[in-house]
Each structure stands twice: as structure tokens, then as C-alpha cells.
Amino acid sequence: MENINGLIVLKDYGKIVFRIGEVMDKKGISRNKLCALTGIRFEVADRYYKGNIERLDIDVFTRICCVLNCNTGDLIEYRKDE
């Protein structure tokens, strides 16, 4: 957000895209199985699966990386809007 001549201008910084559901599908891991292996509630697993994450919980994200045997870069991507 910038202030130009008294006007507030919103900047488009791009977006973060979560590919957790994609990776889970490729590895054959359901949301129920993810819950069992990570100890998180189904509602939390569902939000991560769908990419509807407002605040990233590093502990949960770490557990998901461990269970899916992947790196953070496999699950998250920055896309710059052009």
C-alpha cells in the first residue's frame, strides 16, 4: 500500500499458492490418513488440502512435510502477478 498525493494505492504483490492437496493425491494420502499421521484435526487437514490457509502454522506444516516426505518448496509456491 502506497500513499501517492494523498491517495492510497494498493500494490499487487502476487500470491502464495499451496499445493498440499496435489502432493497428497499423488502420494495416495487422504485427509483422514493425514490426520492420523500428524495428529491434526480433520478441519485443519481439509483447509491445508484445499489451500485455504490464512495463517501458516509452522508446526503443522512441518508435520505435513514429514508425513509427505517432501520439502517446503514442494508444497508452497510464490506466484508474482504480472
Side-chain angles (χ1 to χ4, degrees), residues 19-72:
R19 296 190 313 252
I20 297 168
E22 211 176 289
V23 174
M24 287 172 60
D25 290 344
K26 285 180 186 173
K27 295 186 178 241
I29 296 181
S30 69
R31 286 169 276 187
N32 285 323
K33 187 171 184 180
L34 185 69
C35 292
L37 296 172
T38 60
I40 60 177
R41 295 186 339 258
F42 183 84
E43 295 80 13
V44 174
D46 189 52
R47 282 198 307 268
Y48 275 82
Y49 178 83
K50 293 177 179 175
N52 297 332
I53 305 164
E54 292 178 16
R55 293 178 190 236
L56 183 63
D57 183 321
I58 296 299
D59 181 58
V60 170
F61 197 65
T62 302
R63 292 182 207 183
I64 292 171
C65 286
C66 180
V67 166
L68 296 178
N69 192 30
C70 63
N71 293 313
T72 57

